[in-house]
Amino acid sequence: MSGHTADEMMAVEAARRLSSDTVCFVGIGLPSLAANLARRTHAPGCVLVYESGTIGAKPAQLPLSIGDGELAETADAVVSVPEMFAYWLQGGRIGVGFLGAAQIDRHGNLNSTVIGPYETPKVRLPGGGGAPEIATSVQDVFVMLRQSARTFVDELDFTTSRGDRVRVVVTDLGVLEPRHGELTLTQLHPGATVEQAVAATGWELRVADDLRQSDAPTEEELRALRALETKGVAA
Amino acid sequence: MSGHTADEMMAVEAARRLSSDTVCFVGIGLPSLAANLARRTHAPGCVLVYESGTIGAKPAQLPLSIGDGELAETADAVVSVPEMFAYWLQGGRIGVGFLGAAQIDRHGNLNSTVIGPYETPKVRLPGGGGAPEIATSVQDVFVMLRQSARTFVDELDFTTSRGDRVRVVVTDLGVLEPRHGELTLTQLHPGATVEQAVAATGWELRVADDLRQSDAPTEEELRALRALETKGVAA
Amino acid sequence: MAEIVSLTEAVRELVSDGDTVALEGFTHLIPHAAGHEVVRQGLRELTLVRMTPDVIYDQLIGMGCARKLVFSWGGNPGVGSLHRLRDAVEHGWPAPLEVEEHSHAGMAAAYAAGAANLPFGVLRGYFGTDLAARTRVASVTCPFTGEELAAVPAHRPDVGVVHAQQADRDGNVQLWGITGVQKEVVLASARSLVTVEEIVDELVPVPGGVVLPGWAIDAVACAPGGARPSYAHGYYERDNDFYVRWDAVSRDRDTFARWMQENVLEAVPA
Amino acid sequence: MAEIVSLTEAVRELVSDGDTVALEGFTHLIPHAAGHEVVRQGLRELTLVRMTPDVIYDQLIGMGCARKLVFSWGGNPGVGSLHRLRDAVEHGWPAPLEVEEHSHAGMAAAYAAGAANLPFGVLRGYFGTDLAARTRVASVTCPFTGEELAAVPAHRPDVGVVHAQQADRDGNVQLWGITGVQKEVVLASARSLVTVEEIVDELVPVPGGVVLPGWAIDAVACAPGGARPSYAHGYYERDNDFYVRWDAVSRDRDTFARWMQENVLEAVPA
């Protein structure tokens, strides 16, 4: 098996959790990579919905923007943005929603708004976008986020979206899932250690009794992944 | 000049009140005839909007139903019914709205719901349809209604729509317009008399000091009218 | 994912006695074939929802399928009354019919709210009408301006039924022409049935086309001509003469019953 | 009826200092040419509204045109930060920027409410977020179920600006591909400007096309390439490299100022 990057491991691990009857709301970057990978491998029926209004998009290559023309061209339907948020997301028709963030806490609450105080931020982040309502409208929220003590924090600077429906957090070190009301390390990627994961977490990270190792990406997964990653800037 | 029917006189008289920059909300029957006549004669730019969602429809012949396929085929745009009522009618984009009814009172309030008590009606009429909101959303309401004491009543059995914006009532005998807060006879069609109009009104009909006679339909108006009236059941 | 089934099977699986059923199609694509199947299966106590109860609702009401009607305009377009509807309301025949009456704007807002999973829709409407006191409408106050607006409860039918031109083999549906509230009723309903003129290998997008993905629909049934005497844009025209003839057929209870026996009950479903 | 005018004239006639202006286009058809004309005309104290402030808003903010920003996601898509936006918020350069921040769902509902002439939009949103306390959102109670929902004040910009593919000589506009909130912003605004790739003799309906009648628009200006570096579906692609380069250009105040001088201020308007 050839080597793989941390991003590839993350995409593969998230993709494996999607099936052919999943309708997922996808943002740009790793989520888009994961969802498209699933569609190209074990879950050809997986439906990709982008907040730009494209329903059932089937891009051949990874879009740089959620509004890439290819998404509209390959979609089953293109709807207006108000319709997307009202009828499709709020309508409860989306199974899985992917989210990223600058900070996450042990309950899966996310911050993508500011670092520092809201009125006088140290860093003004792009903001929530679709996240606040994705987090409360889809059945299952998947978070994809590189793990570090700066990102996995004891207390958020700002709550952009709620964690109630976060079912899984895929990081570059492993996988966290809610257990007894708190995100708990349930999986380690090949080569990562519990110590690394604990060190990269700003709260006292719990480790599941049944901690298991992630399967490394297969040749087929990597091939499909790399075929997707050829457009514009890397995802 | 050849003879003309009462309906033709009504259509012609209503059509004359539309201009090329009028956007009008049109129902089936006489209103549709009047608006299409205007478009075919002095007001080619008059925009016809049907509540079925067709904006800028240009039917060659009179539709029997507001949903006739020709309306969609010739429209500038076709929108959904929720959009029609929310963005276009309620949005305040319609200048003139045509209404008919089974009863009208001196204030232009209309009844198209029931004759007799609501719970135990003597006659169950079709109901308001678009009328309640047309009556309060367009700038000017035009009513087209054959005049009789059964129809022009002292008191409505039911108020389906409000009369505040009724600017003109075109009947088979003449024209009523609001003067000092009450619909007043301002015009008589050729051949009709004040006595007829008074007899055909269930309240004590006021007659305007400047009562004038309607111009009979011109040859051109009648020709255009009759060219429209060839499809299905007469409007 | 929509299952592609026969109309008989679809109605049997999706519709039960007592359900709230919306057969929609605003002046176009009216699902007559599906309505006839409801009649044939002898469904009872239905709450029927529809902006413009048309001949098909006259038939369902006349055959005693309905307990309640939710609507905004109940006439025979361009012709006059719906006599079976009137007979039910005016004389309780064949059974009393409860009526919940709205305006078009109210019905449209209620469907849109249902599709959006909101409990109510907001509109500038019903003010100054006697309807306001007779129907399910309330007022809400704008928290920013203090303005009062009308609120209607969202439509959330048990079953939504529409007719469309085409479906593909995965149950994706495309319809075009006047699209009415077709999308809203499918999305607002707990279960949905789309009858189609034909099943095609591939849906080719057309101008003005509305596509409903198969995964948002429960059942698709092929029912060519399923909108007749209404029309299907690009397939066949409205049978205006039928609407005129219906006036005479429906005026008399026995004539109506005979017509339904011959043309619906004894007909073979699509 | 829309007047067909030059972009310079359109901006001069429609936009004034202090106006609330929404230049929309959700990831597609972003009206860069119109934004550049706003910069060239030196407009000031604008309240800028846009779901996804993009490079064009970074430019307007960096050039000191804005007093306030109403938005839901302010980044360089696929690249990172908007440095001029950050500089304004973090350091008040070139001027302090008031921020009214929403979610996408809230912005979309606010535009839809504005288009529908309602004072507020209703959604299931903002709950449990810190945003709720920081922005203009209130709660409304469903008069039927007692449920509490979020209300956002309707967007009613003074001027709405969008880019589209085509207009005909009567000012009727057609746009297609990702249609975003284009229709809503035009209908919600007191005045509207549509820039187009080309003026054609006849608008031929395309699948997925949205048509805005000329009588619902104030001005149409021909601005070929007017969305660049964004894209116009069917005309040209997104200049992804530009978005990457913008990161470096915009990081430094002087580099930014120089770039704007050379590429916008000294450029000849469309």
Side-chain angles (χ1 to χ4, degrees):
Chain A
M1 201 204 70
S2 61
H4 61 268
T5 67
D7 275 0
E8 286 171 341
M9 183 69 234
M10 289 172 75
V12 164
E13 194 54 43
R16 289 170 179 165
R17 288 172 157 74
L18 303 174
S19 66
S20 258
D21 58 4
T22 307
V23 176
C24 56
F25 208 77
V26 181
I28 237 46
L30 278 175
S32 185
L33 188 58
N36 277 293
L37 174 60
R39 210 176 50 74
R40 298 306 209 80
T41 52
H42 66 284
C46 179
V47 176
L48 275 54
V49 178
Y50 289 81
E51 65 190 7
S52 53
T54 56
I55 296 175
K58 303 161 201 73
Q61 293 185 335
L62 216 61
L64 176 64
S65 140
I66 52 163
D68 262 27
E70 197 189 358
L71 297 180
E73 271 156 22
T74 62
D76 293 325
V78 180
V79 302
S80 75
V81 164
E83 179 180 325
M84 174 53 69
F85 281 96
Y87 288 3
W88 299 90
L89 181 63
Q90 182 175 273
R93 269 166 271 276
I94 313 289
V96 169
F98 283 95
L99 292 176
Q103 293 181 332
I104 185 170
D105 71 13
R106 73 187 73 200
H107 303 298
N109 299 310
L110 300 175
N111 172 21
S112 54
T113 305
V114 284
I115 303 297
Y118 186 78
E119 299 297 347
T120 53
K122 189 158 155 272
V123 181
R124 174 65 235 199
L125 301 164
E133 287 77 21
I134 292 172
T136 53
S137 299
V138 301
Q139 284 162 41
D140 303 314
V141 175
F142 286 13
V143 177
M144 300 184 74
L145 209 51
R146 283 167 170 270
Q147 206 164 343
S148 81
R150 271 179 51 210
T151 303
F152 285 62
V153 297
D154 193 45
E155 205 176 337
L156 300 179
D157 288 15
F158 191 93
T159 303
T160 306
S161 69
R162 285 169 54 162
D164 315 46
R165 300 189 185 191
V166 171
R167 310 296 179 211
V168 62
V169 180
V170 177
T171 85
D172 50 337
L173 299 176
V175 172
L176 284 69
E177 292 171 276
R179 294 271 174 97
H180 313 292
E182 183 172 320
L183 288 174
T184 302
L185 186 71
T186 57
Q187 226 172 290
L188 274 177
H189 296 328
T193 64
V194 168
E195 291 65 36
Q196 277 180 303
V198 167
T201 307
W203 70 83
E204 212 172 304
L205 179 65
R206 290 189 196 158
V207 180
D209 294 339
D210 56 349
L211 177 72
R212 67 178 190 85
Q213 200 182 65
S214 313
D215 294 327
T218 65
E219 282 294 347
E220 189 211 347
E221 285 167 334
L222 285 177
R223 212 169 22 243
L225 202 53
R226 286 165 189 172
L228 282 164
E229 290 178 295
T230 50
K231 190 178 181 180
V233 174
Chain B
M1 203 205 68
S2 60
H4 60 267
T5 66
D7 276 0
E8 287 172 343
M9 183 70 234
M10 289 173 75
V12 164
E13 194 53 43
R16 289 169 179 165
R17 288 172 158 75
L18 302 174
S19 66
S20 257
D21 58 5
T22 308
V23 176
C24 56
F25 208 77
V26 182
I28 237 44
L30 278 174
S32 184
L33 188 60
N36 278 293
L37 174 61
R39 209 176 49 75
R40 298 304 209 81
T41 53
H42 65 285
C46 180
V47 176
L48 275 54
V49 179
Y50 289 82
E51 64 189 8
S52 53
T54 56
I55 296 175
K58 303 161 199 75
Q61 293 185 335
L62 217 61
L64 176 65
S65 140
I66 51 165
D68 262 27
E70 197 189 357
L71 297 179
E73 271 156 23
T74 62
D76 293 327
V78 180
V79 302
S80 75
V81 164
E83 179 180 325
M84 174 54 68
F85 281 95
Y87 288 3
W88 299 90
L89 181 64
Q90 182 174 274
R93 271 166 268 277
I94 314 290
V96 170
F98 283 95
L99 292 176
Q103 293 181 332
I104 184 171
D105 72 13
R106 75 188 70 201
H107 303 297
N109 300 310
L110 300 175
N111 172 22
S112 53
T113 305
V114 284
I115 303 298
Y118 185 78
E119 300 296 347
T120 52
K122 189 160 155 272
V123 181
R124 173 64 236 199
L125 301 164
E133 286 76 22
I134 292 172
T136 53
S137 300
V138 302
Q139 284 162 41
D140 303 315
V141 174
F142 286 14
V143 178
M144 301 186 73
L145 209 50
R146 283 168 169 271
Q147 206 164 343
S148 83
R150 271 179 49 209
T151 302
F152 286 62
V153 297
D154 194 45
E155 204 177 334
L156 299 180
D157 288 14
F158 191 93
T159 302
T160 307
S161 69
R162 287 168 53 161
D164 314 47
R165 301 189 185 192
V166 171
R167 310 297 179 211
V168 62
V169 180
V170 178
T171 84
D172 52 335
L173 299 176
V175 172
L176 285 69
E177 291 170 276
R179 293 273 174 96
H180 312 293
E182 183 172 321
L183 288 174
T184 301
L185 187 71
T186 57
Q187 227 171 290
L188 274 177
H189 297 326
T193 65
V194 168
E195 291 66 34
Q196 277 180 303
V198 167
T201 306
W203 69 83
E204 213 172 304
L205 180 65
R206 291 188 195 158
V207 180
D209 294 341
D210 56 349
L211 178 72
R212 66 177 191 85
Q213 201 183 64
S214 313
D215 294 328
T218 65
E219 283 293 347
E220 189 210 347
E221 285 168 334
L222 286 177
R223 212 170 21 243
L225 203 52
R226 287 165 188 171
L228 281 164
E229 289 178 295
T230 50
K231 190 178 181 181
V233 175
Chain C
M1 187 57 69
E3 266 193 284
I4 299 182
V5 294
S6 72
L7 180 53
T8 305
E9 193 182 338
V11 170
R12 195 170 50 225
E13 292 199 352
L14 297 180
V15 191
S16 304
D17 288 346
D19 275 355
T20 296
V21 184
L23 296 99
E24 274 292 354
F26 196 85
T27 74
H28 174 213
L29 294 172
I30 301 175
H32 278 265
H36 286 173
E37 186 56 31
V38 168
V39 169
R40 274 190 298 270
Q41 294 194 14
L43 287 151
R44 284 291 176 275
E45 297 284 316
L46 302 178
T47 292
L48 292 176
V49 185
R50 184 173 158 77
M51 293 184 71
T52 55
D54 188 87
V55 166
I56 187 62
Y57 271 37
D58 214 32
Q59 295 173 351
L60 284 158
I61 291 164
M63 293 301 282
C65 301
R67 186 188 70 73
K68 180 178 174 182
L69 176 67
V70 182
F71 78 113
S72 43
W73 192 85
N76 183 341
V79 179
S81 288
L82 291 176
H83 298 292
R84 296 298 95 225
L85 165 55
R86 279 187 58 182
D87 205 7
V89 173
E90 295 170 12
H91 312 111
W93 192 93
L97 184 69
E98 192 187 329
V99 156
E100 179 183 326
E101 186 167 2
H102 288 277
S103 64
H104 279 351
M107 287 287 283
Y111 277 126
N117 188 28
L118 291 173
F120 67 105
V122 178
L123 71 156
R124 297 182 185 276
Y126 294 91
F127 287 129
T129 71
D130 285 344
L131 203 53
R134 298 289 185 175
T135 193
R136 292 208 299 155
V137 59
S139 77
V140 284
T141 304
C142 172
F144 307 104
T145 64
E147 248 183 302
E148 220 174 276
L149 295 118
V152 286
H155 284 329
R156 300 307 300 257
D158 296 307
V159 192
V161 182
V162 300
H163 189 67
Q165 283 97 335
Q166 297 178 339
D168 67 17
R169 292 175 206 288
D170 293 329
N172 300 304
V173 164
Q174 184 173 219
L175 57 104
W176 63 92
I178 287 167
T179 56
V181 290
Q182 307 284 83
K183 179 184 278 187
E184 284 74 15
V185 71
V186 166
L187 297 183
S189 298
R191 304 183 291 282
S192 59
L193 162 61
V194 182
T195 55
V196 294
E197 286 300 321
E198 58 173 338
I199 306 232
V200 296
D201 288 328
E202 198 188 348
L203 292 180
V204 178
V206 301
V210 166
V211 172
L212 292 166
W215 51 268
I217 300 168
D218 290 286
V220 168
C222 193
R228 288 185 197 279
S230 174
Y231 74 108
H233 201 113
Y235 285 75
Y236 46 87
E237 297 209 354
R238 190 173 188 272
D239 184 353
N240 290 331
D241 292 341
F242 180 90
Y243 280 83
V244 176
R245 286 201 310 275
W246 184 251
D247 191 71
V249 169
S250 62
R251 219 173 256 277
D252 177 77
R253 293 175 184 173
D254 293 336
T255 316
F256 164 75
R258 224 167 21 243
W259 191 94
M260 290 300 290
Q261 182 66 34
E262 284 165 17
N263 293 279
V264 178
L265 295 178
E266 289 169 10
V268 178
Chain D
M1 187 58 69
E3 268 193 283
I4 299 181
V5 294
S6 72
L7 180 53
T8 305
E9 194 182 338
V11 170
R12 195 169 51 226
E13 293 199 353
L14 296 180
V15 190
S16 303
D17 288 346
D19 275 355
T20 296
V21 184
L23 296 99
E24 274 292 355
F26 195 85
T27 73
H28 175 213
L29 294 171
I30 302 174
H32 278 264
H36 286 173
E37 186 57 29
V38 168
V39 168
R40 274 191 297 268
Q41 295 194 16
L43 287 151
R44 284 291 175 275
E45 295 285 316
L46 302 178
T47 292
L48 292 177
V49 185
R50 183 172 160 76
M51 292 184 71
T52 56
D54 188 87
V55 167
I56 186 64
Y57 270 38
D58 213 32
Q59 295 173 351
L60 285 157
I61 291 165
M63 293 301 282
C65 301
R67 186 188 69 73
K68 181 177 173 181
L69 176 67
V70 182
F71 79 113
S72 43
W73 191 85
N76 183 341
V79 179
S81 289
L82 291 175
H83 297 292
R84 295 298 95 226
L85 166 54
R86 280 187 57 181
D87 204 8
V89 173
E90 295 170 12
H91 312 111
W93 192 93
L97 183 69
E98 191 187 330
V99 157
E100 179 183 327
E101 186 167 2
H102 287 277
S103 64
H104 278 351
M107 287 288 282
Y111 277 126
N117 188 28
L118 290 173
F120 66 105
V122 178
L123 71 156
R124 298 182 184 275
Y126 295 90
F127 287 130
T129 73
D130 285 344
L131 204 52
R134 298 289 184 175
T135 193
R136 292 209 299 155
V137 60
S139 77
V140 284
T141 305
C142 172
F144 307 104
T145 64
E147 249 182 300
E148 218 174 277
L149 296 118
V152 286
H155 284 328
R156 299 307 301 257
D158 295 308
V159 192
V161 182
V162 300
H163 188 68
Q165 282 97 336
Q166 296 178 339
D168 67 17
R169 293 176 204 290
D170 293 329
N172 299 304
V173 164
Q174 184 172 219
L175 58 104
W176 62 92
I178 287 168
T179 57
V181 291
Q182 306 284 84
K183 179 183 279 186
E184 283 75 15
V185 72
V186 166
L187 298 182
S189 298
R191 304 183 292 282
S192 59
L193 162 61
V194 182
T195 56
V196 294
E197 285 300 320
E198 59 174 337
I199 304 226
V200 296
D201 288 328
E202 198 189 348
L203 292 180
V204 178
V206 300
V210 165
V211 172
L212 291 165
W215 52 269
I217 300 167
D218 290 284
V220 169
C222 192
R228 287 184 198 279
S230 173
Y231 74 108
H233 200 113
Y235 284 75
Y236 45 86
E237 297 209 354
R238 190 172 189 271
D239 185 352
N240 289 330
D241 292 341
F242 180 91
Y243 281 84
V244 176
R245 287 202 309 276
W246 184 250
D247 190 71
V249 169
S250 61
R251 219 174 257 276
D252 177 77
R253 292 174 184 173
D254 293 336
T255 316
F256 165 75
R258 223 167 20 245
W259 192 93
M260 290 300 290
Q261 183 66 34
E262 284 166 17
N263 293 281
V264 178
L265 295 178
E266 289 169 10
V268 178

